[in-house]
Amino acid sequence: MAELELLKKLEEANRLIESDTKSLNSLSVGTAKSQGSQSGHSRTSSLASQISVLSGSSQELGDTGEDDLWTTWGDILKHWDMGGKRKMANVKDLARKGIPHHFRGMAWQVLCGAHDSSDKSKYSAYLRTQSACEKVIRRDIARTYPEHDFFKKKGGVGQESLFNVMKAYSIHDREVGYCQGSAFIVGLLLMEMPEEDSFAVLVKIMQDYRMREMFKPSMAELGLCMYQLDTLVQEHIPDLYVHFQSQAIHTNLYASSWFLTLFTTSLPLNISCRIMDCFLSEGIEIIFRIALTLLTIGKHELLLLDMEGVIKYFQSEMPKKFEADQDAVFSMAFLIKINQKKMKRLEKEYTTMKSKEKEDEIELRRMRTENRLLRQRIDMLETESSELADRLIQGQVTRAEEEETAFAMKRELAAIKQHDINTNQKLVEARDRIKNLEDLSSKPTSLEEVSLRTEIIEQKQEMINCLQDELIKVRLRDAENEETIKSLRGKISESEEERKREREDIPEHNVASLQEELAASKLREAESNLALKDLRSKVSELNTMWQKHLKRSENPGAQSEVPSTPKKLLGSLLEGKSDAAKLEEELMTSRLREVEGMAELKELRLKVMELETKTHVIHNQLKRRTEEVQKLTDLLEEGSRKETDLQTQLRESKRKYTDLEGKLKEDLMMARIRDTENSQCVAELTQKISNLEFKNQEQTTEDDLTTSLNESDRMRELQDKVASLRAQTNNFQLPTPACTPLVEYKLFFPCK
């Protein structure tokens, strides 16, 4: 049984030798890796020793093409700083053919310039610093290459190394911090080199290959790449571009992960490594080339699919097609020509478009602010309008009351006028009676008539006394009227002061109307003064007549003392004089009544003029208030119209914002779905590959063992091979640092 196990192991080693001429080097390098992984996945062998072993082994093996490639890369890496980098064009062509697996970790550092980076010395200090992104990094580590042996163990070497590198970079570049897509790139680097080197290469990729702008929170560079790729698809594959537009399939739906992870989540690892070879030598242009190639290859299938079918195609069918003939796909990608001037122009167009979008956003924010201010102003105007409406209603009510008062005064004035007419008629009748009495006084009178007239004179004397009392009352009324006039003048002066104050408050365009009102009020005041003067003159005339009457009443008394006639003659004379006095008294009474009526009439006229003046002033004020209300109404209507326009624009902007937000959410959801499906697809493919390899090895081992048991000659040959393999293994042990020149290679891995 021991012999069978030994034969099984030997046959497996023989199969590896036959399938890969570089298996011996793989064994030696694998031994170094296993030893390094036990010490925390850090390589202790120097680059010089690896190059020496690999170069020597390739010279002894038989495949001439592979040997030449290995030798070429060994020479390039040895003499890079001594002129190898001047052959960059040649290196670019070699990188397109694929860097040998065992040189890949060293070649990546050289191509990006990380082999002599000073960032390696900062790595240990970063690990001792605490990062704000540690929890997020811990959460996402299990999602990075979950089916890969190096990363699938929780808390294993691979996950710890990935955590260390991502933490160190989040501290190194705090603006970028941590982004989930960068973990796949770091994982690919950790498969080929230690942590410090992976960190240095990551820093160079971020700084020199446009990836830093792509992983910033704004992801502006990713949007630019999507815009450029969309334009390139429109130029190179117009049919597919039209189909994608009709199906609402945006470029970022399927291509965002290509740029963020450099195809590590969309293609097998061996193809991803080869893409990384070209990426580090040519830049991000290779991603555009491969993307266009994949779309061109799958054009006919994609034209028949909808959005869901397109997503499934990129997740399952596209990797199989690429892996089936990857050399042809790479050759086709290298033949695609991309005009760099056009790419620069597209970059300018995208920048202009984004700046315009930002300006539109700023304008929208400004319009929202203006809308808010306009709403506040509208509220203020509505408040003022309600106050003005209340004042207008109050003014209308006051005006109605004043009109009612004026109507009542007009009625009183009409009654006074009618009373004046009646008084004049009575005065005319009294004058007629006086004339009749004078005619009668010229006729002789009898004693009875004398006695009758004496009685009448006595009555008239009493009436005169009454008239004297009334005259006193009239004079008292005159004094009261003078006081009233003084009070009215005081009110007029107060009204003039109020008008002055109102003149200061009233706008300039109403000054002329107010001046006219003032002139009219002064004219009315002058008329009232004239009327008062007229009234005073009539009162003085009445006083004069009254004095005459008193003198006449005194003269008949003096004439009665003359004893010239009998008593009848005296009685007749006295009777005749008493008739004249009676008529004068009646005339005086009527005139006094007339004066009183005129005084009352003038007083009422003054009141009417004052009321008319107030009514006129109030009418003008209401007119001005009406004009102000109209202006405010116009302003309110204009504000309402502007508000309506702004609300329409705001609704349109909200609709656009909602559409954009929905599209972004949809894109984010599709990207998450795509990432999940890609991870599942990679896990399934990895599992299937492992099962197939295991079955293949088992079948081969069983066949070899069956053949070895049936053939004894084969047994002897195998024993000879065992001996020769042991001898070769002893001969191909790794050289020690003491026997290997380190001067030429100390730039890569200094001997510790």
Side-chain angles (χ1 to χ4, degrees):
M1 293 298 293
E3 292 180 354
L4 290 175
E5 291 177 359
L6 180 60
L7 287 173
K8 184 177 179 180
K9 292 180 180 179
L10 290 173
E11 193 64 22
E12 184 178 356
N14 190 21
R15 182 180 57 80
L16 291 173
I17 293 171
E18 291 176 355
S19 62
D20 188 4
T21 58
K22 306 179 291 298
S23 60
L24 293 178
N25 302 321
S26 302
L27 287 173
S28 61
V29 175
T31 303
K33 285 185 177 180
S34 64
Q35 294 174 357
S37 63
Q38 293 175 0
S39 61
H41 193 64
S42 62
R43 298 176 180 177
T44 58
S45 61
S46 65
L47 178 63
S49 61
Q50 292 183 21
I51 294 174
S52 300
V53 173
L54 294 172
S55 301
S57 301
S58 63
Q59 291 174 3
E60 293 179 4
L61 296 174
D63 194 345
T64 306
E66 293 291 331
D67 293 345
D68 292 341
L69 184 61
W70 280 51
T71 304
T72 303
W73 275 105
D75 293 337
I76 289 173
L77 296 177
K78 285 180 183 179
H79 304 92
W80 181 262
D81 287 333
M82 295 185 297
K85 58 185 176 182
R86 297 189 193 128
K87 303 177 182 179
M88 198 61 193
N90 188 22
V91 173
K92 181 178 176 181
D93 295 335
L94 290 172
R96 287 185 174 184
K97 295 178 182 179
I99 301 173
H101 173 69
H102 302 288
F103 286 105
R104 186 162 278 148
M106 297 171 284
W108 285 358
Q109 297 180 52
V110 171
L111 289 174
C112 67
H115 61 285
D116 56 353
S117 175
S118 61
D119 295 324
K120 295 181 181 179
S121 60
K122 304 176 184 177
Y123 181 74
S124 59
Y126 289 153
L127 293 182
R128 293 191 297 270
T129 308
Q130 189 174 2
S131 174
C133 305
E134 290 185 8
K135 292 184 179 179
V136 184
I137 297 172
R138 287 285 186 192
R139 183 192 63 194
D140 292 339
I141 278 179
R143 307 175 188 175
T144 306
Y145 300 114
E147 300 298 329
H148 196 278
D149 295 335
F150 187 55
F151 297 103
K152 69 180 180 180
K153 184 178 179 181
K154 184 177 181 181
V157 176
Q159 289 192 3
E160 288 300 321
S161 299
L162 181 60
F163 172 78
N164 291 337
V165 176
M166 297 308 301
K167 171 187 173 182
Y169 187 79
S170 67
I171 298 171
H172 176 76
D173 191 351
R174 296 185 183 273
E175 184 179 1
V176 174
Y178 166 72
C179 187
Q180 185 179 2
S182 60
F184 290 94
I185 300 175
V186 175
L188 186 65
L189 296 176
L190 287 172
M191 295 177 194
E192 303 295 336
M193 61 188 75
E195 295 179 15
E196 295 87 349
D197 300 333
S198 299
F199 172 71
V201 173
L202 177 64
V203 172
K204 288 293 182 182
I205 288 175
M206 290 291 186
Q207 291 179 353
D208 301 338
Y209 291 86
R210 295 172 58 183
M211 297 299 291
R212 183 175 183 273
E213 299 295 328
M214 201 171 295
F215 283 111
K216 281 186 178 180
S218 61
M219 288 188 172
E221 191 68 20
L222 179 62
L224 173 60
C225 293
M226 294 298 100
Y227 181 73
Q228 290 174 336
L229 180 61
D230 192 48
T231 307
L232 292 174
V233 171
Q234 183 180 5
E235 178 182 354
H236 291 83
I237 321 170
D239 298 340
L240 187 60
Y241 175 79
V242 173
H243 176 68
F244 282 172
Q245 293 294 321
S246 63
Q247 295 294 327
I249 301 174
H250 302 287
T251 308
N252 54 7
L253 182 65
Y254 59 87
S256 58
S257 64
W258 296 353
F259 287 87
L260 288 173
T261 63
L262 303 179
F263 287 99
T264 55
T265 59
S266 304
L267 297 174
L269 288 177
N270 58 341
I271 301 176
S272 300
C273 290
R274 192 167 175 185
I275 292 173
M276 181 65 76
D277 298 340
C278 301
F279 175 76
L280 292 175
S281 63
E282 301 181 28
I284 202 169
E285 182 180 344
I286 189 64
I287 307 298
F288 289 100
R289 294 176 183 271
I290 293 175
L292 289 174
T293 304
L294 294 177
L295 293 173
T296 304
I297 292 173
K299 171 184 173 182
H300 299 290
E301 290 85 349
L302 293 172
L303 288 174
L304 302 176
L305 300 175
D306 57 358
M307 181 185 292
E308 185 177 357
V310 168
I311 294 172
K312 290 183 179 179
Y313 172 81
F314 283 119
Q315 290 176 352
S316 58
E317 298 295 331
M318 184 264 291
K320 294 179 182 179
K321 286 190 175 185
F322 201 146
E323 192 174 11
D325 193 1
Q326 55 179 291
D327 292 332
V329 175
F330 276 108
S331 300
M332 185 176 178
F334 297 145
L335 292 175
I336 294 176
K337 301 295 182 182
I338 296 178
N339 191 348
Q340 294 298 325
K341 292 183 179 179
K342 186 174 182 180
M343 297 292 281
K344 292 290 184 182
R345 179 174 57 80
L346 292 175
E347 183 177 358
K348 291 181 180 179
E349 290 179 359
Y350 181 79
T351 305
T352 304
M353 181 175 64
K354 283 297 178 182
S355 62
K356 187 176 181 182
E357 290 180 358
K358 289 183 180 179
E359 291 176 358
D360 293 340
E361 185 177 356
I362 293 171
E363 182 67 18
L364 179 61
R365 192 179 297 112
R366 185 185 64 79
M367 291 174 67
R368 287 176 179 172
T369 305
E370 290 182 356
N371 188 16
R372 178 173 55 80
L373 294 175
L374 285 173
R375 285 182 178 177
Q376 294 178 358
R377 182 169 178 78
I378 287 170
D379 293 338
M380 293 174 61
L381 290 174
E382 287 179 352
T383 305
E384 293 179 0
S385 177
S386 62
E387 292 178 356
L388 289 173
D390 294 338
R391 291 170 63 184
L392 179 61
I393 292 170
Q394 187 66 30
Q396 290 177 352
V397 171
T398 306
R399 182 179 179 182
E401 292 177 354
E402 290 176 352
E403 287 179 354
E404 185 177 358
T405 305
F407 179 73
M409 292 181 69
K410 286 180 180 179
R411 290 176 60 186
E412 291 179 359
L413 182 62
I416 290 169
K417 288 181 178 179
Q418 185 64 35
H419 183 268
D420 188 17
I421 293 170
N422 295 331
T423 303
N424 292 328
Q425 289 178 356
K426 288 180 180 180
L427 181 61
V428 171
E429 291 176 356
R431 287 176 180 174
D432 293 338
R433 289 178 64 188
I434 288 170
K435 288 180 180 180
N436 293 328
L437 289 173
E438 288 177 352
D439 294 336
L440 291 173
S441 62
S442 59
K443 296 179 180 180
T445 57
S446 61
L447 183 61
E448 294 177 355
E449 290 177 353
V450 171
S451 61
L452 181 61
R453 288 180 180 176
T454 304
E455 293 177 358
I456 291 171
I457 288 170
E458 291 177 355
Q459 293 176 358
K460 296 300 180 182
Q461 187 65 36
E462 293 176 358
M463 188 178 291
I464 288 169
N465 294 329
C466 293
L467 288 174
Q468 287 178 352
D469 295 335
E470 289 181 0
L471 181 60
I472 293 169
K473 291 179 180 179
V474 168
R475 289 180 178 178
L476 291 174
R477 288 177 184 175
D478 192 8
E480 290 177 357
N481 290 331
E482 289 180 356
E483 291 179 358
T484 304
I485 290 169
K486 289 180 180 180
S487 63
L488 289 174
R489 287 178 178 175
K491 290 181 180 180
I492 289 170
S493 62
E494 291 178 358
S495 64
E496 287 179 354
E497 291 178 357
E498 289 179 358
R499 286 172 184 172
K500 288 180 181 179
R501 288 195 297 270
E502 291 177 356
R503 188 183 299 122
E504 294 176 356
D505 296 334
I506 295 172
E508 295 180 356
H509 62 277
N510 292 326
V511 172
S513 60
L514 291 175
Q515 289 178 352
E516 292 177 357
E517 293 175 4
L518 182 60
S521 63
K522 288 183 177 180
L523 288 174
R524 293 190 183 95
E525 183 181 0
E527 290 178 356
S528 62
N529 290 330
L530 291 174
L532 288 174
K533 289 180 180 180
D534 189 11
L535 183 61
R536 286 175 182 174
S537 64
K538 287 185 178 181
V539 170
S540 61
E541 183 179 357
L542 286 173
N543 288 328
T544 304
M545 292 175 68
W546 182 252
Q547 292 296 329
K548 289 180 179 180
H549 176 72
L550 291 176
K551 289 178 180 180
R552 288 178 182 177
S553 61
E554 290 175 356
N555 291 327
Q559 292 175 1
S560 61
E561 295 177 358
V562 177
S564 59
T565 58
K567 290 183 178 179
K568 290 184 179 180
L569 180 61
L570 180 60
S572 63
L573 291 173
L574 290 172
E575 187 177 0
K577 289 181 181 178
S578 62
D579 291 336
K582 183 179 179 180
L583 291 174
E584 287 179 356
E585 288 174 358
E586 289 180 357
L587 179 61
M588 183 62 68
T589 302
S590 62
R591 287 188 177 180
L592 286 173
R593 290 177 180 175
E594 181 182 2
V595 170
E596 289 178 357
M598 291 294 292
E600 291 178 358
L601 180 61
K602 294 294 182 180
E603 186 177 359
L604 291 174
R605 283 179 180 177
L606 288 174
K607 290 182 180 180
V608 170
M609 285 190 292
E610 185 178 359
L611 290 173
E612 287 179 353
T613 303
K614 290 182 179 179
T615 304
H616 185 64
V617 171
I618 291 170
H619 178 72
N620 291 333
Q621 290 179 353
L622 289 175
K623 186 176 180 181
R624 289 193 295 273
R625 293 293 182 270
T626 305
E627 292 177 356
E628 292 177 359
V629 169
Q630 184 65 32
K631 290 181 180 179
L632 291 174
T633 305
D634 295 338
L635 290 174
L636 183 60
E637 291 178 354
E638 185 178 358
S640 301
R641 186 175 66 256
K642 289 183 179 179
E643 183 185 7
T644 304
D645 297 337
L646 290 173
Q647 287 179 352
T648 304
Q649 295 177 2
L650 182 61
R651 286 195 295 270
E652 184 68 21
S653 301
K654 284 184 178 178
R655 185 184 63 79
K656 292 182 179 178
Y657 178 78
T658 305
D659 295 340
L660 290 173
E661 188 176 8
K663 290 180 181 178
L664 289 175
K665 288 183 180 178
E666 183 181 357
D667 295 342
L668 181 60
M669 183 62 67
M670 295 306 296
R672 290 179 178 174
I673 293 171
R674 185 183 65 255
D675 292 338
T676 305
E677 292 179 352
N678 286 336
S679 301
Q680 293 177 356
C681 182
V682 170
E684 292 175 359
L685 290 174
T686 306
Q687 186 66 30
K688 288 181 181 179
I689 290 170
S690 300
N691 293 333
L692 290 174
E693 288 179 353
F694 180 78
K695 289 181 181 179
N696 189 14
Q697 291 177 2
E698 185 179 2
Q699 185 66 32
T700 306
T701 305
E702 289 177 357
D703 294 341
D704 292 340
L705 286 174
T706 304
T707 305
S708 64
L709 291 173
N710 294 331
E711 296 179 0
S712 59
D713 295 334
R714 183 67 175 169
M715 289 288 293
R716 288 192 294 272
E717 291 178 1
L718 290 174
Q719 290 176 357
D720 295 337
K721 287 182 179 180
V722 167
S724 62
L725 287 172
R726 287 178 179 175
Q728 290 177 2
T729 304
N730 294 328
N731 292 331
F732 284 100
Q733 291 295 330
L734 292 174
T736 60
C739 63
T740 305
L742 300 180
V743 178
E744 297 178 358
Y745 316 110
K746 64 182 180 181
L747 294 172
F748 299 91
F749 295 96
C751 182
K752 296 181 180 178

